[in-house]
């Protein structure tokens, strides 16, 4: 019998008309599995210990589970502002109970010689907290204490803010809702937008948010163990702590290997931060698995910037991993003030350091510019651009998955033999020549999808051979020419 059956027994004697199905001829790899993960801190009132992986489908669900204004709920909202269709999981990591909450103050002063000076005219104080607008209406006759009371009430009325407020004697004290370093650098400002001014006679002094304790430890929270068995393509972390970054990188390093083959990348950012803060952080990293979302001096928190960026690019990367992640609108991120925005040279310095750069348009809209990883040097410390582009990492991840999946679907129970062997029709036997034909055919499919190029050159250089040291194995050399992204146009216009 030359046809190999899987379900019909060869020694059956019972009369039967049996037909089994085999899908090897029609097997298609389809879309790559894609899941996104956000790791962040819920409110203590919602969760005083670490939680479990949860699929999130709405902003309301995140608020209910983790608390409005918590780091985790805000990250979910930033991600979902950019995509509602992408599969999103979250992992809540409880605050370090030994840490303090960051605090800051707004001191209101009304000019005048009276014992208790009062405003001559009313108006609006255009406060902004972590990129969220929080207007405070004031009236003629209000004292500094009155204005502080109104400001605290306005802040507390907006449950989506990451702080609470209290007022006393013209001073508003702001307290981060989450304990730890996340509260440090929560941006507090006023008159962010052009044309906004304080009411006549009113001034404000800011003592910036500071003195929060440490971030919770992802290692102590056993993030690796919790994520085991789950393939997450994109991971956003709410922490910029060096130990937490290293811990997640180690998890991704293991998943990058040919044994696990669950490639993923992580993204984080900084609260506020000048150009030098971002370049310093990026220069300390060197990995194709790490993306630093950079928009210096944006009032939006770092956790939300990173979540918004990956929310923007995740569905694009799923549809086409090689397509340039350039010039896409990033919703939910507030642009820096015009005089704080990076120029050409500043953005170039950020990119060279390994920062994924976002830029602001004239109207304040934020767009992706060029999404690079922090990879800059090879294992010998020599400058290397192999994995610089996130698109390269995503394309490699897809090609590896698609090739392995194609073989597994079409040849799930194949035998192995050298070329030149004679087998009956219907036998599923893999040979080097058949393997080479399958690989070249797959490469042409990738070329049609715009993931690679030069299929003719590929066919000439591909190598498929039986493993000389393992009679059960066949080796493939896949000299792929990855498609590149059109980022730079260099023209010289000459004239007479």
């Amino acid at each position: 019998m030359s046809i190999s059956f899987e379900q019909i027994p060869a020694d059956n004697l019972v009369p039967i008309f049996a037909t089994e199905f085999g899908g090897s001829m029609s097997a298609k790899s389809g879309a790559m599995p894609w899941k996104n993960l956000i790791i962040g801190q819920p409110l203590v009132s919602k969760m005083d210990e670490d939680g479990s992986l949860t699929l999130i489908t709405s902003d309301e669900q995140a608020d209910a589970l983790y608390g409005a204004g918590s780091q985790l709920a805000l990250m979910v909202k930033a991600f979902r502002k950019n995509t509602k269709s992408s599969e999103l999981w979250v992992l809540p990591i409880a605050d370090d109970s030994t840490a303090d909450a960051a605090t800051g103050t707004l001191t209101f002063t009304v000019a005048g010689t009276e014992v208790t000076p009062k405003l001559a005219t009313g108006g609006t104080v255009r406060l902004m907290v972590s990129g969220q607008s929080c207007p405070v209406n004031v009236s003629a006759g209000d004292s500094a204490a009155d204005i502080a009371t109104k400001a605290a009430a306005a802040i507390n009325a907006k449950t989506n803010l990451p702080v609470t407020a209290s007022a006393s004697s013209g001073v508003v004290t702001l307290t981060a809702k989450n304990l730890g370093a996340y509260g440090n650098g929560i941006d507090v400002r006023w008159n962010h937008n052009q044309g906004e001014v304080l009411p006549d006679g009113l001034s404000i002094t800011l003592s910036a948010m500071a003195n929060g304790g440490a971030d919770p430890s992802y290692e102590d929270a056993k993030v690796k163990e919790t994520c085991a068995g789950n393939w997450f393509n994109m991971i956003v972390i709410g922490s910029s702590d060096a130990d937490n970054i290293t811990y997640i990188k180690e998890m991704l390093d293991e998943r990058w290997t040919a044994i696990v083959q669950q490639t993923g990348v992580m993204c984080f950012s900084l609260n506020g931060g000048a150009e030098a803060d971002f370049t310093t952080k990026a220069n300390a990293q060197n990995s194709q698995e790490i993306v630093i979302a950079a928009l210096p001096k944006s009032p939006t928190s770092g956790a939300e910037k990173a979540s918004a960026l990956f929310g923007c690019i995740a569905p694009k990367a799923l549809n086409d991993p090689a397509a340039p992640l350039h010039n896409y609108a990033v919703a939910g991120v507030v642009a820096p003030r015009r005089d704080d925005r990076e120029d050409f040279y500043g953005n170039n310095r950020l990119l060279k350091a390994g920062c994924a750069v976002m830029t602001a348009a004239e109207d304040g809209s934020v767009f992706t510019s060029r999404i690079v990883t922090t990879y800059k040097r090879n294992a010998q410390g020599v400058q290397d651009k192999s994995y610089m582009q996130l698109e390269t990492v995503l394309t490699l991840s897809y090609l590896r998955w698609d090739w392995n999946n194609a073989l597994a679907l079409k040849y799930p129970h194949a035998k192995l033999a050298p070329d030149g062997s004679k087998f009956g029709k219907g036998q599923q036997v893999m040979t080097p020549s058949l393997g080479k034909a399958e690989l070249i055919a797959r490469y042409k499919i990738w070329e049609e999808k715009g993931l690679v190029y030069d299929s003719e050159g590929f066919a000439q250089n591909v190598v498929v051979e039986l493993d000389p040291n393992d009679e059960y194995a066949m080796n493939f050399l896949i000299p792929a020419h990855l498609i590149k992204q059109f980022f730079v146009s260099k023209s010289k216009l000459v004239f007479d």
Side-chain angles (χ1 to χ4, degrees), residues 346-397:
N347 284 328
N348 199 36
R349 288 189 293 268
L350 289 165
L351 288 165
K352 287 183 176 180
C355 293
V357 170
M358 295 179 282
T359 58
E362 184 69 18
D363 65 354
S365 300
V366 173
F367 293 86
T368 58
S369 175
R370 190 167 182 175
I371 309 303
V372 300
T373 71
T374 61
Y375 183 86
K376 299 174 285 290
R377 300 173 300 278
N378 62 18
Q380 290 71 43
V382 179
Q383 186 174 358
D384 180 14
K385 294 184 178 181
S386 300
Y387 301 102
M388 180 182 75
Q389 285 300 133
L390 180 59
E391 294 90 343
T392 298
V393 176
L394 297 173
T395 302
L396 288 171
S397 179

Side-chain angles (χ1 to χ4, degrees), residues 13 53 133 146 169 172 176 180 214 218 220 269 271 283 311 323 327 360 366 391 419 429 435-436 465 492:
L13 298 178
L53 291 168
S133 176
D146 296 329
S169 303
V172 173
Y218 289 1
D220 291 347
S269 187
N271 283 350
N283 281 323
N327 204 34
V366 173
E391 294 90 343
D419 287 331
V429 181
K436 183 174 182 178
E465 61 183 12
K492 184 174 184 178

Side-chain angles (χ1 to χ4, degrees), residues 46 73 89 108 128 166 233 251 257 268 281 286-287 354 368 381 440 451 453 481:
K46 290 291 184 178
W89 293 76
F108 294 88
M128 179 178 281
S166 61
N233 307 74
M251 180 178 77
T257 63
F268 71 91
K281 196 72 174 180
N286 184 57
S287 172
T368 58
I440 291 172
L451 304 176
Y453 64 92
H481 303 288

Side-chain angles (χ1 to χ4, degrees), residues 444-465:
K444 289 180 179 178
I445 293 174
W446 297 339
E447 189 172 41
E448 290 175 358
K449 291 184 175 182
L451 304 176
V452 296
Y453 64 92
D454 190 16
S455 57
E456 292 183 3
F458 175 82
Q460 294 173 5
N461 293 294
V462 65
V463 176
V464 182
E465 61 183 12

Side-chain angles (χ1 to χ4, degrees), residues 111-132:
T113 58
E114 301 88 347
V115 175
T116 305
K118 300 182 184 300
L119 288 179
T121 59
T124 305
V125 179
R126 300 287 180 179
L127 289 181
M128 179 178 281
V129 180
S130 195
Q132 297 186 52

Side-chain angles (χ1 to χ4, degrees), residues 157-392:
K158 298 200 70 169
T159 57
N160 204 44
L161 293 178
V163 298
T164 58
S166 61
S168 177
S169 303
V171 178
V172 173
T173 299
L174 304 172
T175 304
K177 289 182 178 179
N178 282 108
L179 307 179
Y182 167 65
N184 296 333
I186 288 178
D187 189 272
V188 181
R189 63 179 65 193
W190 54 94
N191 296 346
H192 175 74
N193 298 304
Q194 191 171 15
E196 295 177 348
V197 295
L198 291 173
D200 289 342
L202 177 64
S203 61
I204 307 175
T205 302
L206 171 67
S207 177
M209 298 289 291
N211 301 318
D215 280 341
S217 167
Y218 289 1
E219 182 175 10
D220 291 347
K222 300 186 183 304
V223 170
K224 291 181 184 178
E225 290 84 344
T226 304
C227 292
N230 293 278
W231 183 359
F232 295 108
N233 307 74
M234 289 188 166
I235 301 175
V236 186
I237 62 174
S239 173
S240 59
D241 175 80
D243 289 339
N244 286 336
I245 294 167
T246 299
Y247 178 80
I248 298 300
K249 177 185 176 296
E250 289 173 352
M251 180 178 77
L252 294 175
D253 284 344
E254 181 180 353
R255 293 175 173 224
W256 178 271
T257 63
I259 302 302
V260 183
Q261 300 187 96
Q262 293 181 344
T263 48
V265 291
M266 73 163 151
C267 186
F268 71 91
S269 187
L270 306 176
N271 283 350
E275 177 194 317
D277 299 313
F278 281 92
T279 56
T280 298
K281 196 72 174 180
N283 281 323
Q285 306 296 330
N286 184 57
S287 172
Q288 72 275 16
E289 302 151 348
I290 300 177
V291 174
I292 300 180
L295 185 62
K297 298 189 178 180
S298 165
T300 303
S301 74
E304 292 171 89
K305 284 199 292 279
S307 299
L309 177 62
F310 265 19
C312 169
I313 65 180
K316 284 82 170 176
L318 173 60
N319 290 340
D320 186 345
L325 297 170
H326 170 68
N327 204 34
Y328 285 111
V330 183
V333 176
V334 178
R337 291 188 174 105
R338 292 192 181 193
D339 54 356
D340 285 336
R341 296 176 189 177
E342 297 295 324
D343 59 13
F344 172 90
Y345 303 101
N347 284 328
N348 199 36
R349 288 189 293 268
L350 289 165
L351 288 165
K352 287 183 176 180
C355 293
V357 170
M358 295 179 282
T359 58
E362 184 69 18
D363 65 354
S365 300
V366 173
F367 293 86
T368 58
S369 175
R370 190 167 182 175
I371 309 303
V372 300
T373 71
T374 61
Y375 183 86
K376 299 174 285 290
R377 300 173 300 278
N378 62 18
Q380 290 71 43
V382 179
Q383 186 174 358
D384 180 14
K385 294 184 178 181
S386 300
Y387 301 102
M388 180 182 75
Q389 285 300 133
L390 180 59
E391 294 90 343
T392 298

